[in-house]
Amino acid sequence: MDYKTDILIIGSGITGCALARELSGYQASVTVLEKGSDIAEGATKANSGIIHAGYDAMPGSLKAYYNVLGSSMYPSLCSQLNIPYRRCGALVIALDENEIKSVEALKKRGESNGVENLSLIGKDEILALEPNINPQVVCALNVPDSAIISPYEAAYAFADNAAVNNTTFLFDQTVENVIKNSNGFTVQTNSDTFHCHVVINCAGSFGAEIHNILCEEKLEMTHRRGQYYLLDRSSEQPFSRTVFQCPSHMGKGVLLTPTVHGNMLIGPTAEDISDPCDTATTAEGLSEIIRKAVRTWPALSVRQNITNFSGIRAHLNSGDFVVGQNKEVPGYFEAIGIESPGLSSAPAIARDLCRQVVDYMNLVRKEKTIVYQAPSCSFHDMSNEERASAVESDPAHGNIICRCEMVTEAEIRAAIHRPVGARTVDGVKRRTRAGMGRCQGGFCMPRVADIIAEETGIPLQKITKSGGSSFLLTGSIESYLKGESNHDQSEN
Amino acid sequence: MEQIITCINCPVGCRMQVVLSDSGEFVSVSGNTCPRGSAYAKQECTLPERMITAVIPVEGSRIPLSVKTSSPVPKDKIPQIMDALSSVSLKAPVRLGDVIISDILNTGSDIVATRNILL
Amino acid sequence: MINRKTDILIIGAGPAGLAAAVAARESGVESVLVIEREKEPGGILRQCIHNGFGLHRFKEELTGPEYAQRDIDRASDLNIPVECSTTALSLSADRSVICVSAEKGLQHIEAGAVILAMGCRERPRGALCTPGTRCSGIYSAGTAQRFVNLEGFMPGKRVVILGSGDIGLIMARRMTLQGASVLACVEIMPYSSGLNRNIVQCLQDYNIPLYLNHTVTDISGRERLEGVTVSRVDQNRKPIPGTEIHFDCDTLLLSCGLIPENELSTGAGILLSPSTSGAVVDETFETNIPGIFSCGNVLHVHDLVDHVSAESQKAGASAAAFIRNKKHTTSFISVCDGDGVRGTVPQKIHRDADQEIQLMFRPTQVFRNSSAVIECDGQILSRKKAMIFTPGEMANIVLKPEMLNHVNGDSITVRMERN
């Protein structure tokens, strides 16, 4: 099919969604094309969830600029849109004399970047703040403004806000060609053709590929994988802050961080791989994480591990973000190489890009925009009084579907009916936490699948874990008994 | 000829040596530590039998009907029995104990419902 | 929020909860309430459509649903209220429970005694840290069993099973009978923890190979599972490079252990034993919190439901006795795991216990021609000989009350001894 739209955004990760939300405040039609089956299926769902204070990026770089600006925008955004966010603070620890220099350099760098409240603290103070840190710690950079967030929930919130303000999100759309023409652009995907005035490339790991279709000056990208351990929720996590390591003889360090929902993340690795879709975890990667993490947390135990995952960073070999209107191709805007501190930077990148597009197209602000708020409190986090009212107003809150995370049937149905709603098991999982607990969906997954089937009309056999051909089931008993049986095994 | 089989009657799991005649008939058994073992060995070498349990869809019910054979059936008839089950059309209500198919494939065993499906 | 009171509140209407409820009522307590999160009672037995249940208790072999129906019918005959679709959200040490249902909303139930019968969950892939992709088609065996037996859907066509515990073995047969190909059962230990009968009837009958001393070391498939890699392991259970075997399959079933579901319990301050992951209880099945009892798989994972029922009947009777204010005044003797023994339940005994006590435990390995002994200060109080003790089968040894007369110290030990 052929579609017309004013503005086409390629990619619905954190950057694309933040930008879509910004642009949805203006009078223009905006369409977001996503190659996956849902929002945030790339790096946005598979990172540390840290809103960095901004000491790590090189002064003068776009990374530094957008990191500091972006992280200052999150508190009010999260409060307005009910995105889980917590300013838990961070420490960058030095475990020997050599590492002290690294930590001191980070402090200086942070100050150059305009980061406030940085200080160097000694062993006693460190252990008073975080008693489980390796007692051999020498000193640390204390970063009270470092924060944690749920990165995919942020993306959903941005996307839902864009959608209620008439942004169109289309999934299973892989961009194959972008052609500049007199009116703007023709964008061909695996299934459709789009005609637009402006194209904005927020395509994550595929950003360089798309850029290189349009531009003479090519970009080179390296796909860098990071694997993680995720430990179960607990009210007694070993650390209340994010704890970073310095580079050491073992290479780049790993971090240990609480998550905003009370889990613990340990990782990541940094392996350069050739296939941007290879998000497997590996025995080598996972054991590397343990070897490194134990330097921070000698009592490290992964007994409480509930899952491992990995994400692919979109690293430009030139080392910095590429943001803005491309000089060669008017009307083509891009945000490429949005690796760390990409999450922290996204709102600021989005605001800048939006301004540039508005100027380019002379867009007029809409008189009214609708603010969509995700539920402010999950059933799990409610008080008993709040729970009692919730069930009174919707009895479906009385059916607990995921008992590890206390997610109700009402919450799952609501997630399916959000402006950009869930249609897969993982889509429900990331919007509600159903399946993110100790049993990892062992108990609730069949029930979640049933609810998705009921609410969307998709037959149970066609429900997927995360789109494409990730079907849960291969058929009904009936079809097996009648046709596809394989009874020859006993005669072998 | 000789055959080794493991008794399944209790956790000891005695490994028994069974002697068969040239025509495959049971002659004798050794290695068992109780008479249940020798009885099992004889049956297993003469005519191995198993209980079958399965589920059959029931029209109008989300939950399929769980069924069992009322007694052990010859092991080599299992594939045909499963095929026979596939041609059964069931409607609720069904009660625990209801005979779904009587004397399946002339084995002398019935297919019996093991739960209630009452809509 | 509704406020309710009951003498005995039982959390879970599986075989443990139902047996406890019936026993409590039969002990004379009128006000007994069972809450159950599923739509129907019966617990995990609802999906265990195979037979092998009830040989000890009913002297007949029943399927899971038939066994459950016996208890459901008995509870119904006694008019014991079993409220389904009701989920317990929290438990407090003062024996009150917050629970919720669509029908009644949020409820605060104060109980004279609480019996925990929540059963257990399965160990997921994450707990094994198995590397590879995170595709669809990876299920715990119980989840697959639910799809097949309670929903009538097949989770896959070409199956590899990791773990040779009974659930994995049963699903090997189940999937095969309903038309799938089961390519292998992979077990990290040198022996299977499942019952021998299941090895014969579920694997050997269908020529499904059992790979002992192996584990899954890689999983591939971007969207749906496409294959797994299986490697041999050394004596430390570590994969040996170079021993990889690849299976093309679309389904991986995990049967890697059951974990008692004690999240409600820890919320109330109930002490758990690291070796069972269940509550620490005395011979009346009371936990460290007065009036809160535990029985069935939430206390320790059983192999035979008949033993669950027997244990739960005792817990139900104990809860009834508690309601009638029968309190012990003496101190405890602790029961310790000695050589070759793990997870002994109960973990403590009143000095003035006046009934025979069955100490239940698992051997840490296979013992042939051995004895289990109860020992105190070097003195053997009791000995039980058997041709075989195996980790896959919970064992027990009886402690008679008069044996406690000989106990001066604070503890007794259960251990294995070779003959």
Side-chain angles (χ1 to χ4, degrees):
Chain A
M1 264 185 68
D2 269 55
Y3 292 88
K4 267 188 67 139
T5 186
D6 291 330
I7 299 167
L8 195 69
I9 299 176
I10 305 174
S12 71
I14 190 75
T15 312
C17 289
L19 178 57
R21 176 179 161 270
E22 293 279 349
L23 284 169
S24 70
Y26 292 86
Q27 292 176 21
S29 54
V30 182
T31 304
V32 180
L33 297 183
E34 166 56 50
K35 91 184 249 303
S37 63
D38 196 357
I39 305 288
E41 279 194 349
T44 299
K45 70 161 167 61
N47 57 76
S48 325
I50 297 169
I51 304 301
H52 297 284
Y55 52 82
D56 191 53
M58 282 307 167
S61 66
L62 290 180
K63 283 179 175 173
Y65 170 74
Y66 282 117
N67 184 166
V68 174
L69 193 51
S71 57
S72 73
M73 293 169 71
Y74 268 107
S76 65
L77 264 176
C78 293
S79 156
Q80 188 195 17
L81 303 181
N82 290 333
I83 299 166
Y85 170 93
R86 186 151 51 92
R87 184 164 283 175
C88 60
L91 295 172
V92 186
I93 61 172
L95 289 162
D96 62 39
E97 300 296 314
N98 296 323
E99 293 176 15
I100 299 179
K101 293 197 196 70
S102 299
V103 163
E104 287 169 344
L106 285 176
K107 179 168 184 286
K108 280 209 179 68
R109 220 191 280 172
E111 283 156 356
S112 305
N113 289 338
V115 180
E116 294 178 346
N117 303 323
L118 295 175
S119 63
L120 289 173
I121 58 176
K123 170 175 163 160
D124 291 339
E125 208 182 330
I126 296 168
L127 292 175
L129 292 176
E130 296 290 350
N132 289 308
I133 284 187
N134 188 343
Q136 289 177 11
V137 68
V138 174
C139 73
L141 178 65
N142 188 14
V143 192
D145 297 339
S146 189
I148 51 180
I149 195 178
S150 176
Y152 41 85
E153 286 178 76
Y156 299 140
F158 295 153
D160 284 334
N161 271 277
V164 296
N165 291 294
N166 293 322
T167 306
T168 304
F169 285 82
L170 296 175
F171 298 101
D172 300 307
Q173 295 276 357
T174 303
V175 169
E176 291 174 347
N177 205 0
V178 184
I179 302 158
K180 175 104 182 90
N181 55 42
S182 49
N183 277 340
F185 297 86
T186 302
V187 177
Q188 284 161 351
T189 72
N190 53 312
S191 53
D192 300 289
T193 303
F194 297 83
H195 306 280
C196 57
H197 299 300
V198 158
V199 167
I200 315 177
N201 177 356
C202 298
S205 295
F206 302 93
E209 204 180 295
I210 289 177
H211 167 102
N212 293 343
I213 294 175
L214 271 174
C215 306
E216 285 293 312
E217 196 179 326
K218 306 295 181 195
L219 290 175
E220 251 184 58
M221 186 172 274
T222 298
H223 308 296
R224 189 160 286 160
R225 183 168 64 195
Q227 304 182 37
Y228 289 89
Y229 282 86
L230 181 71
L231 306 193
D232 194 13
R233 273 209 223 218
S234 169
S235 48
E236 288 167 25
Q237 294 293 9
F239 303 102
S240 47
R241 288 166 187 71
T242 303
V243 182
F244 294 98
Q245 294 174 342
C246 290
S248 73
H249 62 281
M250 292 182 80
K252 201 162 142 62
V254 296
L255 60 91
L256 288 83
T257 185
T259 71
V260 75
H261 290 295
N263 294 85
M264 256 256 297
L265 265 180
I266 308 178
T269 53
E271 325 140 54
D272 292 352
I273 58 172
S274 53
D275 179 354
C277 299
D278 185 3
T279 54
T281 52
T282 63
E284 300 75 31
L286 294 180
S287 66
E288 182 192 323
I289 294 172
I290 303 284
R291 277 198 315 273
K292 290 180 174 177
V294 95
R295 296 179 76 235
T296 296
W297 183 26
L300 170 69
S301 159
V302 291
R303 244 189 95 241
Q304 298 298 323
N305 193 54
I306 54 176
T307 192
N308 301 98
F309 63 89
S310 76
I312 315 287
R313 306 168 184 82
H315 170 77
L316 278 176
N317 293 354
S318 46
D320 198 6
F321 293 159
V322 164
V323 176
Q325 177 161 208
N326 184 277
K327 293 183 183 50
E328 286 179 42
V329 188
Y332 166 61
F333 298 78
E334 47 193 8
I336 307 186
I338 313 302
E339 56 173 342
S340 183
L343 173 64
S344 317
S345 306
I349 294 175
R351 201 198 298 179
D352 264 14
L353 275 178
C354 178
R355 281 198 191 117
Q356 292 182 26
V357 172
V358 165
D359 283 344
Y360 177 81
M361 293 181 72
N362 274 322
L363 295 181
V364 176
R365 268 213 87 90
K366 284 177 179 164
E367 270 182 35
K368 253 187 71 182
T369 49
I370 305 170
V371 175
Y372 174 85
Q373 286 181 314
S376 59
C377 192
S378 61
F379 192 86
H380 176 282
D381 293 338
M382 286 180 193
S383 68
N384 285 324
E385 289 68 34
E386 288 167 333
R387 288 173 182 167
S389 312
V391 190
E392 260 180 55
S393 48
D394 185 352
H397 275 302
N399 289 327
I400 307 293
I401 303 295
C402 167
R403 45 96 174 98
C404 295
E405 295 287 321
M406 213 186 280
V407 182
T408 73
E409 185 187 317
E411 292 178 304
I412 292 171
R413 291 189 195 276
I416 294 168
H417 294 295
R418 278 174 73 152
V420 187
R423 282 162 61 249
T424 62
V425 168
D426 280 0
V428 167
K429 177 175 86 167
R430 282 192 282 274
R431 285 168 177 80
T432 63
R433 288 192 64 82
M436 283 184 151
R438 280 169 297 270
C439 86
Q440 289 288 291
F443 177 74
C444 67
M445 192 260 288
R447 293 161 179 72
V448 168
D450 283 343
I451 295 173
I452 297 174
E454 275 172 40
E455 294 294 318
T456 62
I458 303 172
L460 199 58
Q461 299 96 298
K462 294 278 181 236
I463 305 277
T464 63
K465 179 178 185 289
S466 55
S469 59
S470 64
F471 300 109
L472 301 178
L473 304 167
T474 51
S476 68
I477 296 276
E478 227 167 326
S479 62
Y480 268 70
L481 288 173
K482 284 179 162 74
E484 296 166 33
S485 62
N486 182 8
H487 294 309
D488 298 329
Q489 194 148 11
S490 54
E491 279 141 39
N492 288 345
Chain B
M1 53 186 159
E2 276 202 0
Q3 199 172 315
I4 307 262
I5 61 170
T6 306
C7 181
I8 60 169
N9 282 312
C10 86
V12 180
C14 295
R15 272 170 72 84
M16 303 181 283
Q17 292 84 30
V18 177
V19 176
L20 305 171
S21 71
D22 288 337
S23 51
E25 278 169 28
F26 176 83
V27 173
S28 67
V29 60
S30 60
N32 55 306
T33 51
C34 82
R36 286 168 71 201
S38 51
Y40 171 76
K42 187 171 182 189
Q43 182 71 49
E44 190 66 6
C45 293
T46 313
L47 181 65
E49 289 184 331
R50 298 285 184 267
M51 292 284 287
I52 304 181
T53 54
V55 297
I56 303 177
V58 173
E59 208 181 292
S61 168
R62 289 219 59 161
I63 301 182
L65 178 69
S66 51
V67 296
K68 69 177 184 188
T69 50
S70 55
S71 56
V73 295
K75 183 174 150 192
D76 59 11
K77 285 219 162 123
I78 293 178
Q80 296 103 296
I81 292 174
M82 291 305 298
D83 282 338
L85 290 182
S86 72
S87 60
V88 175
S89 257
L90 278 184
K91 279 196 170 76
V94 182
R95 289 194 160 67
L96 196 157
D98 282 357
V99 173
I100 307 298
I101 302 176
S102 178
D103 189 18
I104 184 131
L105 297 183
N106 294 317
T107 55
S109 184
D110 300 330
I111 301 291
V112 166
T114 58
R115 70 165 137 240
N116 295 322
I117 306 227
L118 314 160
L119 289 178
Chain C
M1 178 145 82
I2 303 178
N3 287 307
R4 298 167 71 177
K5 280 189 165 68
T6 183
D7 279 345
I8 297 182
L9 176 65
I10 300 173
I11 307 179
L18 291 174
V22 167
R25 175 62 71 75
E26 286 174 344
S27 300
V29 176
E30 185 57 37
S31 158
V32 176
L33 170 64
V34 186
I35 57 174
E36 163 59 49
R37 67 179 173 220
E38 285 271 355
K39 291 185 180 135
E40 285 176 27
I44 204 69
L45 290 179
R46 294 176 64 227
Q47 64 185 58
C48 297
I49 64 148
H50 52 282
N51 66 336
F53 303 95
L55 257 174
H56 295 253
R57 186 181 177 199
F58 297 118
K59 309 288 183 272
E60 10 170 359
E61 251 195 51
L62 301 174
T63 61
E66 288 171 311
Y67 187 105
Q69 198 63 43
R70 302 269 171 114
D71 287 323
I72 294 169
D73 288 345
R74 183 78 187 121
S76 169
D77 291 344
L78 292 172
N79 285 318
I80 298 173
V82 177
E83 293 181 8
C84 292
S85 302
T86 304
T87 307
L89 301 181
S90 62
L91 168 69
S92 315
D94 64 359
R95 301 188 293 277
S96 66
V97 163
I98 306 279
C99 61
V100 74
S101 70
E103 197 190 303
K104 293 191 158 86
L106 202 73
Q107 304 170 69
H108 174 238
I109 306 181
E110 286 174 65
V114 177
I115 305 179
L116 306 173
M118 294 88 77
C120 54
R121 63 172 182 270
E122 297 177 278
R123 184 169 276 119
R125 173 205 180 161
L128 311 172
C129 302
T130 304
T133 57
R134 291 160 309 288
C135 42
S136 70
I138 302 171
Y139 294 104
S140 57
T143 307
Q145 191 181 51
R146 189 191 166 90
F147 270 125
V148 178
N149 294 342
L150 288 184
E151 309 226 10
F153 283 94
M154 287 297 276
K157 292 184 177 162
R158 286 177 63 86
V159 185
V160 169
I161 300 181
L162 176 60
S164 66
D166 287 320
I167 308 177
L169 300 177
I170 292 291
M171 284 313 289
R173 177 175 65 185
R174 195 77 199 89
M175 297 288 284
T176 307
L177 273 183
Q178 301 284 172
S181 282
V182 178
L183 308 175
C185 181
V186 177
E187 167 57 55
I188 198 170
M189 299 301 278
Y191 50 80
S192 163
S193 57
L195 299 169
N196 256 331
R197 69 183 317 176
N198 287 332
I199 302 282
V200 171
Q201 295 189 325
C202 301
L203 297 185
Q204 289 175 6
D205 271 9
Y206 300 99
N207 293 314
I208 298 169
L210 173 62
Y211 289 80
L212 295 175
N213 292 305
H214 280 74
T215 193
V216 172
T217 48
D218 200 7
I219 292 174
S220 57
R222 287 281 159 83
E223 297 176 355
R224 174 87 193 193
L225 182 69
E226 286 164 26
V228 301
T229 303
V230 168
S231 307
R232 181 170 265 282
V233 299
D234 61 26
Q235 59 267 52
N236 297 317
R237 314 285 137 234
K238 298 277 172 261
I240 302 171
T243 63
E244 295 83 15
I245 312 165
H246 184 80
F247 291 93
D248 288 333
C249 56
D250 67 0
T251 311
L252 175 64
L253 297 189
L254 305 174
S255 174
C256 301
L258 297 173
I259 304 163
E261 280 262 37
N262 277 296
E263 282 65 42
L264 281 176
S265 320
T266 47
I270 291 172
L271 288 173
L272 301 184
S273 154
S275 54
T276 58
S277 298
V280 170
V281 294
D282 64 31
E283 79 281 3
T284 70
F285 296 96
E286 191 176 28
T287 66
N288 61 304
I289 307 273
I292 302 187
F293 298 80
S294 176
C295 57
N297 276 349
V298 78
L299 175 61
H300 54 157
V301 174
H302 286 260
D303 319 297
L304 296 180
V305 70
D306 309 63
H307 297 158
V308 166
S309 303
E311 171 177 283
S312 306
Q313 284 162 349
K314 290 179 192 158
S318 301
F322 180 87
I323 296 292
R324 289 192 303 267
N325 277 318
K326 184 172 172 228
K327 284 190 186 8
H328 287 272
T329 52
T330 60
S331 54
F332 288 112
I333 301 170
S334 350
V335 181
C336 304
D337 292 340
D339 272 345
V341 161
R342 194 162 198 274
T344 308
V345 171
Q347 294 93 340
K348 51 188 188 180
I349 299 173
H350 288 97
R351 248 177 228 287
D352 68 351
D354 55 5
Q355 311 248 314
E356 244 180 43
I357 302 163
Q358 233 189 36
L359 299 178
M360 297 166 281
F361 64 94
R362 285 189 191 273
T364 53
Q365 59 186 86
V366 177
F367 287 91
R368 289 181 197 274
N369 297 317
S370 301
S371 306
V373 301
I374 305 176
E375 181 183 49
C376 179
D377 292 336
Q379 200 188 358
I380 300 214
L381 304 179
S382 176
R383 178 188 296 274
K384 177 173 181 175
K385 279 192 193 165
M387 285 191 58
I388 188 166
F389 291 85
T390 166
E393 177 118 345
M394 190 183 283
N396 69 75
I397 180 168
V398 169
L399 181 71
K400 293 195 163 83
E402 50 269 27
M403 294 172 188
L404 291 172
N405 298 337
H406 301 289
V407 176
N408 295 321
D410 293 332
S411 70
I412 59 177
T413 301
V414 177
R415 63 174 176 79
M416 297 302 298
E417 202 174 76
R418 294 185 195 276
N419 297 341

